Structures are given as structure tokens and as C-alpha cells.
Amino acid sequence: MTTIQNATDWTDLNCSSCGAFICRIAVPLGGPAQCQPCQNRAPGCASWCAEGEHSDALFLDDAVCWGPEVVIPLSLEPSPGLALIPSLEISPRRQIARGVDSVYVCWQHLFGTDIDLSVSEARQLAAVLLTIADRVDVD
Ligand SMILES: [Zn+2]
Ligand SMILES: [Zn+2]
């Protein structure tokens, strides 16, 4: 039986695909390691996808990766209904069959409206929003 003498030699082992913590190890591994969800990940599934397996997708077209959603409540927009708060919901999205990654933006109001932005378009929008917000914030 091996005993570990020096506890300070322990290091975190993180998934080489998604970066998630797997465990603490005392001896370096020979190569990269993957967490269990990444080992079961469907071909083409994004490292940030919460689902991973996509085993419930009947057709490849049904397999869509969704990452963590961020919700921004909108204070200036009218409420879409009783006790409903207007909001923007933003998520990373991958349509696996089409090979398209996007920044998905859904505006929750009376009728939900959504758009897919490419990564480049999302960066442009973010830069423009910052510039204009700074301009409006001056006065
Ligand atoms: Zn992983
Ligand atoms: Zn996925």
C-alpha cells in the first residue's frame, strides 16, 4: 500500500475539455483527463453544453447545445403580463447539425423575439452598447 507523505504535493486535476474540477491528485498523469460528462459528450457537442449526451435527440437536427443562461431584467420595458418581468435572456447556443455557434438573445416581452448573433456580431454589439451607454451616462 502506498502512503502519501507530503500533502502539499497534491494538485487539482481539471478536465482538459471543459476545465471542470475532477479530483485532487498527488502524482501527475501521463496525459490529459476528461470529466465524466465530457467522456459521454456527443460528437460535436460544445464543452460549455449542460446536456452533453443529446441521447434524447431523435434527429441530429434536434441536437442543440445550450450553455448557461444569463437573464437581464429590463426596467424600462412594459411588463409582458401579470407578475412577468420583461427581460433579455442570453445563452451560448450550438446547432450541431448545422455546425453553427451563436450568442442567442431572447427578448421576453408580449411575444418572445429571439435572434442568433455570431460571436463576431455579439462582440460588435457589446462594444457598441458600451460606447453608447458611456455616451448616455455622461449627462
Ligand atoms: Zn469536462
Ligand atoms: Zn451539447
Side-chain angles (χ1 to χ4, degrees):
M1 184 174 142
T2 305
T3 55
I4 307 296
Q5 297 295 323
N6 186 353
T8 60
D9 290 342
W10 289 75
T11 58
D12 289 351
L13 176 64
N14 293 319
C15 176
S16 61
S17 297
C18 72
F21 172 77
I22 299 173
C23 65
R24 290 185 60 75
I25 57 172
V27 179
L29 297 180
Q34 285 187 315
C35 67
Q36 195 66 42
C38 284
Q39 288 178 25
N40 297 336
R41 197 168 293 285
C45 177
S47 63
W48 38 258
C49 176
E51 187 172 332
E53 294 183 47
H54 296 285
S55 55
D56 60 336
L58 209 51
F59 304 101
L60 189 57
D61 277 350
D62 298 335
V64 176
C65 299
W66 293 99
E69 178 184 78
V70 175
V71 177
I72 301 174
L74 303 175
S75 61
L76 299 179
E77 290 297 318
S79 171
L82 193 61
L84 295 176
I85 298 170
S87 63
L88 283 177
E89 298 173 3
I90 302 127
S91 312
R93 179 184 193 203
R94 173 177 289 173
Q95 299 167 68
I96 295 176
R98 294 180 54 207
V100 174
D101 286 351
S102 63
V103 176
Y104 176 83
V105 181
C106 183
W107 177 28
Q108 293 292 352
H109 62 120
L110 214 49
F111 309 101
T113 301
D114 59 350
I115 55 171
D116 278 303
L117 301 170
S118 71
V119 169
S120 166
E121 293 160 351
R123 289 186 198 283
Q124 283 179 43
L125 176 61
V128 168
L129 288 173
L130 284 174
T131 300
I132 294 178
D134 286 347
R135 187 172 302 150
V136 170
D137 208 21
V138 166
D139 290 340

